[in-house]
């Protein structure tokens, strides 16, 4: 009987530990296994050290591994949209931005290289040294927008800046170039702005008619008339909320 009781103690302790703190990432990993494939089933993985067991994900996938990816990207200040375990457009844009920062060719497939980078992520490239503590950096070279508050990253997202192509509108022709320089957010419009060159969702104007704004089309190359497009709706809503008028904007 004594041996039986002693044998039950470790089991009781293990059960107590596994049932404790139901809101932790560790509990979530054990509580929601992905039936369709392998999920990082370790405490280390829950903290960001994703193991080689993580399955390859594709656009349209669902499940606990997708939810884990969303949670991890959000912790790294990307915007995967709602953490719901569904691999949709918002998550795809976040994956593109993360891959670009980590020098991985952007792809909606999340494979071994991306999982490895998620465990040891790179910092986003800087467009200048110094600058205001609260700022937005627009990198035309990397096609990225990074928002800082108190010199700490708040948001990293994909952008599509001026294509450089010649265009004509209302009898006037010009070249689609995003101006480089040091600017500030001059005004914001909380909704759609219907301009001659197209619709701008929640634009943040930083230089004349040039703005950071949501767009239904944010390709992996410069394609705009000169504005800095960002994904909508979720990311554009977030940018509009966290960047006040007067914030410094650096474009390089």
């Amino acid at each position: 009987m004594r041996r039986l009781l002693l044998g039950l103690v470790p089991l009781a302790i293990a059960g107590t530990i596994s049932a404790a703190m139901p809101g932790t990432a560790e509990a979530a990993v054990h509580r929601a296994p992905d039936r369709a494939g392998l999920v990082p089933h370790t405490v280390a993985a829950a903290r960001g050290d994703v193991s080689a067991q993580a399955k390859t994900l594709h656009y349209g996938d669902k499940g606990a591994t997708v939810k884990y990816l969303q949670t991890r990207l959000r912790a790294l200040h990307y915007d995967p949209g709602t953490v719901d375990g569904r691999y949709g457009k918002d998550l795809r844009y976040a994956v593109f931005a993360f891959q670009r920062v980590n020098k991985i060719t952007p792809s909606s497939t999340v494979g071994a290289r991306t999982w490895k980078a998620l465990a040891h992520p790179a910092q986003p490239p800087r467009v200048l040294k110094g600058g205001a503590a609260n700022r937005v950096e627009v990198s035309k070279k990397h096609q990225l927008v990074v928002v800082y508050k108190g010199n700490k990253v708040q948001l990293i997202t994909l952008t599509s800046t001026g294509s450089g192509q010649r265009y004509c509108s209302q009898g006037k022709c010009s070249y689609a170039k995003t101006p480089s320089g040091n600017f500030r957010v001059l005004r914001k419009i909380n909704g759609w702005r219907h301009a001659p060159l197209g619709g701008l969702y929640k634009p943040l104007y930083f230089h004349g008619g040039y703005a950071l704004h949501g767009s239904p089309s944010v390709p992996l190359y410069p394609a705009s008339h000169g504005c800095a497009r960002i994904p909508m709706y979720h990311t554009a809503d977030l940018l509009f909320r966290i960047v006040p008028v007067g914030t410094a904007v650096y474009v390089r």
Side-chain angles (χ1 to χ4, degrees):
M1 178 62 73
R2 184 181 178 186
R3 288 184 179 179
L4 178 60
L5 289 173
L6 288 173
L8 290 175
V9 170
L11 293 175
I13 293 174
T16 302
I17 292 174
S18 63
M21 301 179 69
T24 64
E26 289 86 345
V29 169
H30 291 285
R31 186 174 61 249
D34 190 342
R35 308 292 182 193
L38 292 172
V39 185
H41 285 291
T42 65
V43 172
R47 291 172 179 165
D49 298 326
V50 181
S51 72
Q53 292 182 326
K55 70 172 185 177
T56 298
L57 293 177
H58 303 278
Y59 184 72
D61 282 350
K62 301 176 183 178
T65 311
V66 175
K67 191 171 185 179
Y68 173 85
L69 175 62
Q70 292 170 321
T71 302
R72 179 64 177 149
L73 286 170
R74 177 171 287 185
L76 295 174
H77 306 294
Y78 295 85
D79 180 31
T82 304
V83 178
D84 56 4
R86 298 173 181 270
Y87 194 159
K89 290 182 179 179
D90 292 330
L91 178 55
R92 182 170 59 181
Y93 279 126
V95 168
F96 287 162
F98 176 81
Q99 291 170 331
R100 184 160 277 168
V101 168
N102 288 273
K103 299 181 179 179
I104 300 169
T105 301
S107 167
S108 56
T109 299
V110 179
R113 284 193 67 195
T114 303
W115 283 120
K116 184 177 180 180
L118 283 161
H120 305 284
Q123 293 298 310
R126 295 290 308 277
V127 302
L128 79 166
K129 292 183 179 179
N134 299 338
R135 64 187 182 277
V136 179
E137 295 188 6
V138 181
S139 172
K140 294 191 286 184
K141 177 181 178 180
H142 297 98
Q143 293 292 281
L144 291 168
V145 168
V146 185
V147 179
Y148 292 85
K149 184 175 182 180
N151 284 318
K152 294 183 178 180
V153 175
Q154 301 296 301
L155 174 65
I156 307 168
T157 186
L158 200 71
T159 189
S160 179
T161 56
S163 67
Q165 309 241 340
R166 189 171 185 267
Y167 70 91
C168 297
S169 175
Q170 297 182 336
K172 295 181 180 180
C173 296
S174 186
Y175 287 90
K177 293 184 178 181
T178 302
S180 295
N182 301 341
F183 310 102
R184 290 192 176 276
V185 176
L186 303 172
R187 63 189 179 106
K188 305 184 344 182
I189 296 177
N190 189 9
W192 281 97
R193 163 77 168 105
H194 297 286
L197 295 176
L200 289 70
Y201 180 70
K202 293 196 173 180
L204 286 73
Y205 289 93
F206 60 86
H207 179 64
Y210 295 96
L212 291 139
H213 68 85
S215 171
S217 175
V218 186
L220 292 169
Y221 53 86
S224 79
H225 289 99
C227 289
R229 299 179 187 174
I230 59 171
M232 58 181 297
Y233 290 93
H234 200 278
T235 303
D237 289 341
L238 177 59
L239 184 80
F240 189 90
R241 187 167 67 250
I242 67 176
V243 178
V245 171
T247 300
V249 178
Y250 303 106
V251 185
R252 299 287 190 277

